[in-house]
Amino acid sequence: GWIVIQQRIDGSQSFNLSWNEYKSGFGTYYKNFWLGLEKMHQLTTSADYRLRFENLISGSWYSDEYDHFRINSELEKFSINVSGYCGDRINVLNYHNGMNFSTPDQDNDRYFGGSCASLYSSGNWFNRCEVQNVNGPFGSSSFHYTSIPLTYSRMMLKRNV
């Protein structure tokens, strides 16, 4: 019942891409993949969905879930809304909650020192830059509170019943 919306398994697919690419989606579903912000918006506004966030860091798996997950429309810069946290770590998306999506060619973050998407070579729901950056260059530190590189990540949706 889970729908994969983001997956990183290796560095063969760059996630340093444009607004239009993040909007429509890219990659290969069973490898490195981004479903597309427009599809995420359509899914999450048609029904109530939960989000599962899985990461492999230094050989250990970590997961976070949110009971409610929604992506707003492009007019609202595909902003993210999450609530109902349960997980292994700190609530990584709490810092990003309510933020607009940014890409290197469309800066919608709250950082006054430049563009977080350009600085971190990725698209994300940046605030004043990031706590998590699972779309950053593969093998880079994907969590602000650690310098340990992320080796695998996956975000999945499941309809709440």
Side-chain angles (χ1 to χ4, degrees):
W2 291 99
I3 299 167
V4 176
I5 63 171
Q6 185 269 7
Q7 181 167 272
R8 302 287 300 273
I9 63 168
D10 61 32
S12 64
Q13 168 71 54
S14 173
F15 279 60
N16 187 18
L17 299 171
S18 71
W19 179 264
N20 284 335
E21 289 166 303
Y22 271 98
K23 177 183 173 180
S24 60
F26 56 86
T28 305
Y29 184 74
Y30 58 89
K31 286 186 171 185
N32 301 287
F33 173 76
W34 180 261
L35 178 67
L37 291 164
E38 185 60 39
K39 292 178 191 99
M40 290 180 210
H41 163 67
Q42 290 174 8
L43 279 168
T44 62
T45 56
S46 68
D48 186 27
Y49 278 85
R50 67 185 303 108
L51 173 70
R52 183 170 176 85
F53 202 107
E54 297 177 337
N55 301 286
L56 179 62
I57 303 171
S58 294
S60 297
W61 283 98
Y62 298 92
S63 65
D64 299 290
E65 284 195 27
Y66 298 85
D67 291 334
H68 305 284
F69 171 71
R70 185 179 75 244
I71 300 298
N72 293 316
S73 72
E74 185 172 18
L75 290 174
E76 299 169 278
K77 305 295 185 190
F78 296 116
S79 56
I80 186 173
N81 294 97
V82 293
S83 63
Y85 172 75
C86 176
D88 294 332
R89 300 185 302 266
I90 63 168
N91 181 347
V92 296
L93 288 181
N94 184 54
Y95 184 72
H96 302 267
N97 195 28
M99 294 299 102
N100 296 332
F101 201 83
S102 289
T103 57
D105 64 333
Q106 191 165 140
D107 182 11
N108 298 310
D109 61 51
R110 293 184 176 173
Y111 181 55
F112 298 113
S115 163
C116 297
S118 293
L119 183 64
Y120 289 99
S121 303
S122 68
N124 207 328
W125 294 279
F126 291 110
N127 189 331
R128 287 183 191 93
C129 286
E130 37 78 16
V131 170
Q132 63 78 25
N133 187 23
V134 295
N135 292 335
F138 188 80
S140 65
S141 174
S142 295
F143 294 93
H144 184 67
Y145 53 87
T146 179
S147 61
I148 300 167
L150 179 78
T151 52
Y152 181 93
S153 72
R154 182 168 55 194
M155 296 170 68
M156 301 177 293
L157 298 178
K158 185 176 187 179
R159 189 171 180 172
N160 286 324
V161 181

